[in-house]
Amino acid sequence: MHERYDPAAVEAQARAHWEAADAFAASEDPSRPKYYCLCMFPYPSGRLHMGHVRNYTIGDVLSRFMRKQGYNVLQPMGWDAFGLPAENAAMANGVPPAKWTYDNIAYMKRQLQSLGFALDWKRELATCQPEYYRWNQWLFLRMLEKGIAYKKTGVVNWDPVDQTVLANEQVIDGRGWRTGAPVEKREIPMYYLRITDYSQDLLDALDTLTDWPERVRTMQANWIGKSEGVRVGFPYELEDEHHTLNVFTTRADTLMGVTFCAVAAEHALATYAARDNDKLAAFIEECKKGTAQEAEMAVMEKKGMPTGLFVLHPLTGQKIPVWVGNYVLMTYGEGAVMGVPAHDERDFEFAKKYGLPIAQVIAEDANVYSTDQWAEWYSTKEGICINSGKYDGLGYQHAIDAIAADLSALGLGHKQVQWRLRDWGISRQRYWGCPIPLIHCPKCGDVPVPDKDLPVVLPEGLVPDGSGNPLGKLASFYECKCPRCGADARRETDTMDTFVDSSWYFMRFACPDNANAMVDERANYWMPVDQYIGGIEHAILHLLYSRFWTRVMNDLGLVKEREPFRRLLTQGMVLNDIYSRKTGEGRIQYFNPADVDVQFDAKGTRLGATLRADGKPVEWEGMRTMSKSKNNGVDPQALVGEYGADSIRLFMMFKAPPEDTLEWSDDGVEGASRFMRKLWRVVYEHVSAGPLASSQPPAASSLTSAQRDLRRAAHATLVKVTDDLGRRRIFNTAIAAVMELMNTLGKFEDTTDQGRTVVRETLELVVQMLSPIVPHATHVLWETLGHTDSLMDRAWPKPDPEALVQDSIQVVVQVNGKLRSHINVAASADETQIRETALADPVVQRWMEGKPAKKVIVVKGKLVNVVV
RNA sequence: GCCGGUAUGGCGGAACUGGUAGACGCGACGGACUCAAAAUCCGUUACUCGAAAGGGUGUGUGGGUUCGAUUCCCUCUACCGGCACCA
């Protein structure tokens, strides 16, 4: 053993051992409980970023810990390899997305390996491989057969200059990112998956996901958005035919307060009214050009225009004007809403703006209604109906019941459940994705590619130029024969949403080598994923799509599981400081924190920062997620080279709890490295002081009190660390506890043989407790301590109950809730004894000032509160 | 805008089930070792009154429940994540 801790040498030694033993390969073993630990697979963007390192460290710590608990652990890794960045890189560098992607994968794989993750690389997969995505295509065809997949038009962002569809992130302030041209909405045919058929199932099953974070379940439930309300039909006549304008409302109790209806720009009624109304037609065009993003819709100015058409109130027969509103969503309900300005804030604003009448129909207690200004209580559900004829005096639910019943009798409405969840549009007008296996035949229509012709292979050499999908220009791809009639036909050139790729990869990891089936029995062995770990940003879409896809596979009899992820951990983001300077031209230049020196005052308060290169000040803009644009990224590889993987792992796990954001700090890494060196040195000094006289632990009765204290500290730490890693899944506190134990050990100066035996026991526990977090160094230290077995496979240690026994414990005493004194009582003391000891304490008596105790609260083993 | 979350010393965080607020680490300050530096080690470090003993205040804001609130409830503020074509 070397005196100095040399991470590069230590890590190479440990890795060589694991590699020789093929230590991370997992195989199905029905005799042991399985544990499938999965981290969200990365997009191969080029280099690992710190978010990846954090994610995979958490997964690795849990995997290694569970392995030591006796589980048969699977921890695989793969690549979410299709997607937009590869096309952007291709445009920037002229390199085909395939080459860029595969190069990135090769580099990032080496990075992952250098961090010592216990990954089974034999199961590696990339979603851009035909062997993988053929099963996307195969399942899509099964969905078509079952009617789960279908075709309808959808709205996309259209760049009129580049003649191409843009992703939301390519639209900046309503303009195309490359051309700067105002983006238009355009309707095109697309394929959709009927996730809405599963709404109730996806919602109900959230209750079974008890090991998911509550907030993720809440977000999913809100996303699915079940709302129970009433469908109301407003009758009207058009060209001598009877029609009804149908709206959905959760506030049918306010039906008598309707003063207008509003329809979406795409609604048939709007189209009809615009035929001989140029102004309206222009307004509708304007609405259609606007954003398709919900977030922008919500903050934009509410605008409307009357259609000149009227519908009849279903209960009163009153004429109600119909407006077109830019805030009405064609995709929710039936693209029309009823306007009750008196009791809906949005309608209120709309009515004020356009001078529409406001009719109060709900009253609450003594509150006075004024049409001058909106007040919170106007939208209350606690009030009663007024100005509503026969419904006057009814409360929210009774009014809805009565009105729904009357509407039903008239055939103009009924109670209805409405969902916010929309079907999943999977068509993307992009090159670097999984081809949708369809052929468009002029005679037969849309014909599925026969299973025997799968996969439809994506040609790999193309380089997109930003003007549409290159597949649409590649005759050798799109020219084909109709599989049904043999006529000349055109292959579909849209590819699938990359969320399809990531909706089932976790099942393929069980059997990545099966060329004949999507999944096999091995998926039933490993599924469900016991622990899934990934960013909170995936809380809704990826997780919901995966839950849906797994259900479809279950319905098709492909897998036994219906819920893919038993337990979920959503890790927080990794942030770093942002430093900038305004340049002469009013632009902002960003500097990497590694190139900046920070100045502190005598108290340690941050005073300012200067750029190391020129010594001049730079502005601190706070902390944000690491990104290229803010130049605040940290390269994991450079750090591994400087400090070793173990120090990086230790820092990441120590700095913050896994679910919180993590603020990067170079000093923190330095601190972690310092701890590693200290651990190394302490073991080195212990071992070089010579072998112990006896390998037997000393009898408890012969221990000195200092020896007993150290043993108790060591075993109490083991109890805490076991609980933190196993039950709480919180690592920073576990590491802090081990650090504390090391501090205690540092103060233990007993060099007798018996004292050194206790030191040895403590060090062995420390090495074992840290082994999931810093596996390389502990692997070598374990050998140094004289062991020949591989630490990775050694069972997790068990605390010695005898070491934990305490004779007396300290109890705090409060007087009137304020901490005043400490008392020592026997560990076996009962409540009465504790109370009497507390009341007899001179400090307590002084604070009681001779007054009698009104009440004495005793919390056993902790606290006494005397109330006078 | 809607949905979800977060807020504790100079900083990251701890306090797990309502029971000693600030564990552990970073930074800062003082000291030891050294020709010197690095490394290492020791000590101090929420604010405040006090020579000390000891006291007071304090967990984003304002209120509430309780013997007792960082923890539970309500209000407000600031920041972060998602909003369906970034992954």
Side-chain angles (χ1 to χ4, degrees):
Chain A
M1 185 195 192
H2 294 285
E3 184 175 356
R4 270 181 61 102
Y5 171 54
D6 177 358
V10 166
E11 289 174 12
Q13 184 185 335
R15 264 202 298 281
H17 175 92
W18 296 328
E19 212 165 291
D22 199 10
F24 310 140
S27 57
E28 298 73 37
D29 176 0
S31 70
R32 277 193 297 162
K34 64 95 186 178
Y35 189 77
Y36 183 1
C37 182
L38 182 70
C39 295
M40 290 181 185
F41 64 166
Y43 179 79
S45 56
R47 316 187 128 227
L48 286 186
H49 55 69
M50 280 300 168
H52 293 132
V53 177
R54 188 181 195 194
N55 193 167
Y56 304 145
T57 303
I58 294 168
D60 199 48
V61 171
L62 290 175
S63 292
R64 288 174 179 271
F65 177 73
M66 293 309 280
R67 180 174 180 140
K68 289 168 86 58
Q69 300 286 338
Y71 287 87
N72 184 26
V73 175
L74 167 62
Q75 195 184 204
M77 184 53 71
W79 309 96
D80 190 12
F82 276 136
L84 205 51
E87 296 196 27
N88 294 341
M91 280 187 264
N93 312 317
V95 184
K99 179 174 169 34
W100 184 82
T101 302
Y102 284 115
D103 286 352
N104 288 346
I105 287 175
Y107 182 77
M108 289 171 77
K109 182 174 178 179
R110 283 201 303 279
Q111 287 191 296
L112 286 174
Q113 287 169 327
S114 76
L115 282 156
F117 299 136
L119 297 166
D120 182 358
W121 284 106
K122 282 206 293 291
R123 295 168 186 266
E124 180 183 8
L125 59 83
T127 57
C128 62
Q129 294 162 332
E131 303 80 54
Y132 181 81
Y133 67 68
R134 74 172 290 177
W135 301 109
N136 288 356
Q137 297 172 345
W138 182 81
L139 199 78
F140 174 80
L141 295 177
R142 301 291 85 75
M143 290 191 190
L144 266 183
E145 288 162 5
K146 289 198 69 180
I148 298 170
Y150 67 99
K151 185 180 184 178
K152 71 165 183 186
T153 60
V155 179
V156 294
N157 303 306
W158 179 255
D159 186 320
V161 174
D162 264 349
Q163 295 283 298
T164 191
V165 174
L166 299 177
N168 283 338
E169 71 158 10
Q170 296 173 318
V171 179
I172 296 153
D173 297 330
R175 289 167 183 276
W177 65 324
R178 282 156 52 84
T179 63
V183 167
E184 297 172 9
K185 280 197 271 189
R186 181 170 274 215
E187 285 205 65
I188 57 168
M190 302 211 283
Y191 291 91
Y192 285 81
L193 305 182
R194 281 191 211 279
I195 190 172
T196 53
D197 279 0
Y198 291 80
S199 301
Q200 191 72 57
D201 183 11
L202 288 166
L203 181 67
D204 291 345
L206 285 174
D207 291 338
T208 68
L209 299 174
T210 49
D211 288 322
W212 280 36
E214 189 60 45
R215 58 170 160 163
V216 175
R217 293 195 283 160
T218 310
M219 279 193 264
Q220 290 222 346
N222 289 338
W223 187 260
I224 295 167
K226 180 177 187 174
S227 62
E228 298 181 32
V230 177
R231 184 187 197 228
V232 184
F234 290 77
Y236 62 96
E237 306 249 326
L238 206 60
E239 296 177 344
D240 297 326
E241 280 187 51
H242 296 286
H243 298 270
T244 50
L245 175 67
N246 297 310
V247 306
F248 173 80
T249 178
T250 56
R251 294 302 306 267
D253 57 320
T254 65
L255 184 59
M256 302 305 267
V258 172
T259 59
F260 67 95
C261 284
V263 298
E266 296 85 359
H267 196 277
L269 215 49
T271 314
Y272 177 83
R275 288 192 311 181
D276 48 8
N277 182 340
D278 292 345
K279 275 178 88 174
L280 184 63
F283 177 69
I284 289 171
E285 273 316 299
E286 189 194 323
C287 291
K288 285 184 177 172
K289 275 191 180 164
T291 180
Q293 292 179 45
E294 192 199 337
E296 284 181 40
M297 294 274 284
V299 293
M300 74 188 178
E301 194 190 352
K302 312 286 177 285
K303 285 188 195 165
M305 188 173 279
T307 59
L309 302 172
F310 291 84
V311 293
L312 300 179
H313 192 287
L315 299 178
T316 66
Q318 200 185 353
K319 275 178 83 179
I320 307 278
V322 178
W323 286 59
V324 176
N326 67 346
Y327 63 95
V328 183
L329 296 171
M330 195 59 213
T331 47
Y332 185 78
E334 298 180 52
V337 296
M338 65 181 205
V340 185
H343 303 289
D344 178 281
E345 189 169 8
R346 195 174 50 183
D347 294 344
F348 184 87
E349 274 171 39
F350 195 81
K352 294 284 277 186
K353 182 168 177 176
Y354 294 108
L356 292 160
I358 298 172
Q360 184 195 0
V361 291
I362 303 286
E364 186 185 58
D365 301 336
N367 284 321
V368 178
Y369 195 96
S370 158
T371 56
D372 293 341
Q373 217 187 347
W374 177 261
E376 269 314 300
W377 76 267
Y378 294 177
S379 57
T380 184
K381 290 178 180 175
E382 308 296 319
I384 53 156
C385 292
I386 58 166
N387 303 329
S388 298
K390 63 187 274 204
Y391 311 110
D392 280 358
L394 294 180
Y396 172 72
Q397 195 57 53
H398 286 121
I400 289 177
D401 292 344
I403 286 171
D406 289 347
L407 287 171
S408 291
L410 291 166
L412 289 174
H414 49 84
K415 285 197 178 175
Q416 191 181 9
V417 171
Q418 182 73 38
W419 303 86
R420 208 184 78 94
L421 184 66
R422 307 201 294 258
D423 277 341
W424 176 13
I426 58 155
S427 295
R428 297 289 181 272
Q429 299 69 42
R430 291 188 214 299
Y431 160 57
W432 191 235
C434 166
I436 295 176
L438 284 169
I439 288 166
H440 304 290
C441 170
K443 290 183 205 141
C444 310
D446 299 345
V447 181
V449 173
D451 284 355
K452 66 174 173 54
D453 295 336
L454 294 184
V456 175
V457 175
L458 183 73
E460 288 201 343
L462 307 186
V463 180
D465 60 6
S467 67
N469 184 350
L471 291 178
K473 301 168 196 165
L474 187 69
S476 62
F477 179 77
Y478 65 73
E479 282 180 356
C480 61
K481 301 287 181 197
C482 172
R484 205 165 283 165
C485 70
D488 284 345
R490 187 180 166 96
R491 189 179 297 285
E492 171 70 46
T493 57
D494 279 2
T495 53
M496 293 186 197
D497 179 6
T498 56
F499 274 123
V500 170
D501 308 325
S502 55
S503 287
W504 68 283
Y505 75 105
F506 42 87
M507 292 189 247
R508 186 68 183 175
F509 274 137
C511 45
D513 54 0
N514 193 328
N516 302 311
M518 187 171 188
V519 289
D520 58 35
E521 263 311 301
R522 290 173 289 174
N524 286 331
Y525 174 80
W526 290 111
M527 288 297 291
V529 174
D530 294 281
Q531 177 71 63
Y532 197 33
I533 305 154
I536 183 69
E537 66 274 19
H538 296 289
I540 297 174
L541 293 180
H542 162 61
L543 292 171
L544 195 65
Y545 291 148
S546 298
R547 295 180 62 219
F548 160 66
W549 198 276
T550 305
R551 281 167 166 70
V552 173
M553 287 180 66
N554 173 258
D555 286 344
L556 288 165
L558 297 168
V559 283
K560 285 187 187 150
E561 287 297 329
R562 214 166 160 76
E563 276 298 343
F565 312 121
R566 180 169 292 162
R567 184 172 195 148
L568 177 70
L569 191 155
T570 49
Q571 109 261 4
M573 311 253 167
V574 181
L575 316 181
N576 201 3
D577 294 299
I578 299 173
Y579 293 103
S580 69
R581 224 183 242 171
K582 288 202 175 65
T583 63
E585 304 86 54
R587 285 223 289 274
I588 296 175
Q589 190 184 0
Y590 290 96
F591 299 98
N592 195 280
D595 302 325
V596 169
D597 289 320
V598 183
Q599 285 84 41
F600 298 94
D601 70 6
K603 278 191 159 181
T605 311
R606 183 196 289 261
L607 287 176
T610 50
L611 186 65
R612 199 164 301 134
D614 60 14
K616 290 180 186 151
V618 288
E619 201 82 18
W620 182 64
E621 289 189 13
M623 300 192 101
R624 288 282 174 80
T625 34
M626 293 185 178
S627 72
K628 261 189 195 146
S629 63
K630 302 284 183 199
N631 190 13
N632 64 338
V634 175
D635 178 18
Q637 223 47 42
L639 286 163
V640 170
E642 193 174 348
Y643 296 101
D646 281 339
S647 292
I648 310 303
R649 294 170 58 121
L650 181 68
F651 165 74
M652 293 231 120
M653 303 309 281
F654 175 63
K655 183 74 174 175
E659 311 240 1
D660 290 8
T661 54
L662 183 148
E663 297 186 1
W664 184 261
S665 109
D666 290 335
D667 290 325
V669 183
E670 186 64 48
S673 170
R674 196 174 300 151
F675 178 79
M676 292 307 298
R677 291 197 296 268
K678 177 175 165 179
L679 174 65
W680 188 270
R681 192 181 61 244
V682 171
V683 173
Y684 176 84
E685 281 167 5
H686 173 78
V687 171
S688 34
L692 298 172
S694 161
S695 59
Q696 293 302 309
S701 56
S702 73
L703 292 175
T704 68
S705 92
Q707 289 166 358
R708 232 186 352 255
D709 285 347
L710 180 58
R711 277 205 87 214
R712 183 169 60 244
H715 286 268
T717 304
L718 175 59
V719 170
K720 171 158 181 62
V721 170
T722 306
D723 188 50
D724 281 352
L725 263 49
R727 178 182 64 89
R728 294 215 300 158
R729 299 283 143 96
I730 292 180
F731 314 104
N732 55 330
T733 49
I735 295 166
V738 176
M739 286 175 167
E740 210 174 344
L741 178 59
M742 286 297 287
N743 291 342
T744 305
L745 180 63
K747 295 192 178 84
F748 182 80
E749 282 167 342
D750 182 346
T751 53
T752 64
D753 204 69
Q754 185 161 296
R756 292 188 62 233
T757 308
V758 180
V759 170
R760 163 71 57 113
E761 183 187 8
T762 303
L763 285 174
E764 293 199 341
L765 284 175
V766 165
V767 167
Q768 290 183 85
M769 287 189 280
L770 289 176
S771 68
I773 299 163
V774 288
H776 308 89
T778 49
H779 172 89
V780 175
L781 287 172
W782 188 246
E783 289 179 355
T784 305
L785 285 164
H787 296 275
T788 50
D789 59 335
S790 174
L791 180 57
M792 178 176 183
D793 285 310
R794 190 185 175 89
W796 188 254
K798 289 200 167 36
D800 177 359
E802 198 175 278
L804 295 167
V805 173
Q806 282 190 88
D807 306 335
S808 76
I809 48 174
Q810 197 185 56
V811 170
V812 299
V813 188
Q814 299 178 330
V815 179
N816 285 335
K818 281 187 191 268
L819 176 65
R820 295 303 182 189
S821 185
H822 300 262
I823 53 172
N824 280 301
V825 297
S828 58
D830 66 15
E831 214 176 291
T832 318
Q833 288 170 302
I834 296 171
R835 177 204 307 257
E836 259 141 43
T837 316
L839 289 173
D841 185 74
V843 180
V844 173
Q845 287 189 344
R846 177 154 61 78
W847 283 100
M848 288 173 69
E849 296 169 334
K851 295 172 202 156
K854 259 193 234 161
K855 196 170 178 183
V856 180
I857 290 122
V858 178
V859 181
K860 224 174 156 241
K862 287 218 159 154
L863 164 144
V864 179
N865 187 12
V866 183
V867 185
V868 296

